[in-house]
Structures are given as structure tokens and as C-alpha cells.
């Protein structure tokens, strides 16, 4: 611990010039793609996630909600496309394997690609998430606005989607801190954060009012110094050798 000239403990000195501002990049995995929102995805988002006939239960802990009609959705979706904080991404089934089922894998190389993916079938849309509370000067960014369809929940694809974004945040953009926050009553989100390698930091009581109710918010984070270990665990679990021919995991992520 460092002590200043007044006898007070202070933080370690670092040389940090700031992280990069996230841009609408495409992230390619074996089973999923994370791609920037664009207009050609509108029909799929309305049909699968945001339309009035969609599964409202996946919105319970989200600040988003179902839209009552298409014009209202189109306006809201256009704002999401234009936004840069939050910076929204669609989670898509990898188009190189159109018949891919949940929990199965496909060959391919993980790499970052700029561009757009033509969404031919709305069923290829699996969910969305975003980077927000972007503070490049402090090296801090948060994963948020996570909405998974039932198909994506508790799947290999969901884990890979989160791995792709975490790798991008630390290795491409140079952030020091990656945050995850959720309603303290959202047990699946809390469990997901811990399973993915985020560490619990505490609870902010009466943090928000949303959807006519109060919210205590649980905070989690991964630091850049922790990322190599977290990355190794995720890559070990995601490896094809960890899944049988039916797509069932051989080892839990917690055991890797």
C-alpha cells in the first residue's frame, strides 16, 4: 500500500491513457454472431421480442417493455439503432450453420468483422444486449439491456455471446472494468453473472424506480487483471470437446 506525504493510504500509480469508445462492430463466434442493430432486423425484433404478442415474461426485469403496435415499435427501434450509449447488439444464430440447434456447435474462427448480416429468417434472432455507461476515460463499461428469447436462455449460445463481448471489451477496447448490474430479485441474472466470472460487489438499495416498482440493484464486475483466468475458463467450457454428440455439456462452467 502506498502512503502519501500526509501519512494517508492512496491507490497504486498507473499509466492509463484511456480505453477506446465502442463502435458498431460485428463479433463472430462458432454458434452465434453479435451484430449492431440495423433496419433489416426490425421485423424479427417485432415478431420475436418486442411485439404485443411476444413473451412478456422476458421483460419482467428489463427497463424495456413490449410495444403496443408497429409504428410505436418502429420509432423506438430507430432510436435504439441510432444510440451509441447504450450501443445495442442483436444476438443471431450463426448463418454458416442454418440448421444449428441450441447447445450444438459449428466449425469456424472467432474474429471481429465489420459489416452487416442479412437476416433471412426471424427465427435467427436469439436476443439482444448492449454496452452502456461507457466511460473510456476511466476504463469502465457495463453489459446491460440483456433480453434473451426462451431459446437462448441457459444455452451454449448465450455463454458464447457473453464471452465474445467480454473479449472485445478487454482485448480490443482496453477497458479496466466490465460491469454487470441487475434487479436484486432477478435470480437468473445474478446466477448468470457469477457463473460467467463476475464478482459480486454489493447491493444499492432503493436504486431505481421502474415499471411502478422499487428496485434494489446488485453490482458485479470483472477486472482486466481477472480476465485471463475468466477467459481460460470460458474457452475451456465452450470447446467442442466439452459437449457430446447431442450438445450436452460434459462439465459445468463452474467446474472448468
Amino acid at each position: 500500500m502506498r502512503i502519501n506525504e500526509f501519512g494517508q493510504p492512496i491507490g497504486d500509480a498507473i499509466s492509463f491513457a484511456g480505453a477506446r469508445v465502442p463502435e458498431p462492430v460485428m463479433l463472430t463466434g462458432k454458434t452465434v454472431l453479435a451484430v449492431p442493430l440495423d433496419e433489416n432486423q426490425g421485423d424479427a425484433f417485432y415478431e420475436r421480442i418486442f411485439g404485443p404478442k411476444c413473451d412478456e415474461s422476458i421483460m419482467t426485469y428489463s427497463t424495456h417493455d413490449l410495444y403496443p403496435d408497429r409504428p410505436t415499435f418502429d420509432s423506438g427501434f430507430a432510436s435504439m439503432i441510432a444510440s451509441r450509449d447504450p450501443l445495442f447488439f442483436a444476438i443471431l444464430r450463426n448463418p454458416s450453420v442454418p440448421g444449428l440447434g441450441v447447445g450444438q456447435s459449428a466449425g469456424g474462427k472467432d474474429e471481429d468483422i465489420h459489416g452487416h448480416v442479412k437476416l433471412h429468417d426471424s427465427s435467427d434472432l436469439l436476443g439482444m444486449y448492449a454496452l452502456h455507461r461507457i466511460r473510456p476515460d476511466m476504463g469502465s463499461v457495463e453489459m446491460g439491456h440483456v433480453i434473451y428469447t426462451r431459446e437462448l436462455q441457459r444455452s451454449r449460445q448465450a455463454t458464447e455471446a457473453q464471452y465474445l463481448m467480454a473479449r472485445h471489451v478487454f482485448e480490443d477496447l482496453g477497458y479496466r472494468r466490465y460491469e454487470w448490474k441487475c434487479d436484486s430479485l432477478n435470480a437468473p441474472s445474478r446466477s448468470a453473472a457469477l457463473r460467467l466470472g463476475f464478482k459480486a460487489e454489493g447491493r444499492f438499495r432503493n436504486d431505481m424506480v421502474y415499471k411502478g416498482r422499487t428496485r434494489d440493484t446488485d453490482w458485479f464486475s470483472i477486472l482486466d487483471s481477472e480476465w485471463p483466468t475468466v477467459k481460460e475458463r470460458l474457452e475451456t467450457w465452450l470447446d467442442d470437446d466439452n459437449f457430446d454428440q447431442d450438445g450436452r455439456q460434459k462439465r459445468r462452467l463452474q467446474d472448468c
Side-chain angles (χ1 to χ4, degrees), residues 12-21 135-141 169-170 173-177 224:
D12 293 337
I14 65 169
S15 177
F16 180 68
R20 293 172 53 196
V21 175
R135 299 186 296 157
D137 56 332
M138 299 297 172
S140 176
V141 66
V169 162
F170 287 115
L173 302 178
Y175 280 81
R176 305 173 57 232
R177 172 181 171 84
D224 55 353

Side-chain angles (χ1 to χ4, degrees), residues 42-206:
D43 290 344
F45 268 97
Y46 190 70
E47 178 182 332
R48 298 268 287 166
I49 292 178
F50 285 119
K53 297 181 180 180
C54 293
D55 182 0
E56 191 172 7
S57 69
I58 67 174
M59 298 292 184
T60 298
Y61 298 109
S62 173
T63 55
H64 297 274
D65 215 334
L66 301 185
Y67 288 89
D69 52 55
R70 186 59 189 257
T72 307
F73 164 76
D74 286 342
S75 176
F77 193 60
S79 296
M80 292 168 64
I81 293 172
S83 173
R84 289 299 175 265
D85 188 358
L87 178 62
F88 290 95
F89 293 82
I91 303 171
L92 308 180
R93 196 185 317 275
N94 191 322
S96 69
V97 279
L100 184 66
V102 173
Q104 295 177 311
S105 66
K109 180 181 178 182
D110 292 346
E111 57 185 1
D112 296 346
I113 304 173
H114 293 268
H116 294 279
V117 171
K118 182 65 176 177
L119 190 59
H120 295 290
D121 191 317
S122 63
S123 65
D124 288 334
L125 175 66
L126 300 175
M128 78 169 202
Y129 54 18
L131 295 177
H132 71 140
R133 281 178 45 87
I134 301 168
R135 299 186 296 157
D137 56 332
M138 299 297 172
S140 176
V141 66
E142 180 180 341
M143 161 55 60
H145 297 271
V146 179
I147 301 177
Y148 291 167
T149 61
R150 291 294 179 187
E151 181 181 1
L152 185 60
Q153 293 175 17
R154 300 175 63 85
S155 70
R156 181 180 179 181
Q157 284 94 325
T159 300
E160 184 175 38
Q162 290 294 342
Y163 160 77
L164 290 173
M165 189 58 71
R167 187 184 67 183
H168 180 54
V169 162
F170 287 115
E171 299 184 12
D172 300 328
L173 302 178
Y175 280 81
R176 305 173 57 232
R177 172 181 171 84
Y178 190 35
E179 299 179 339
W180 180 296
K181 303 187 185 81
C182 65
D183 190 315
S184 64
L185 299 177
N186 188 352
S189 183
R190 293 201 322 268
S191 296
L194 294 171
R195 175 180 174 274
L196 290 166
F198 288 82
K199 292 186 177 180
E201 295 185 325
R203 178 167 297 172
F204 280 39
R205 300 176 300 163
N206 284 0

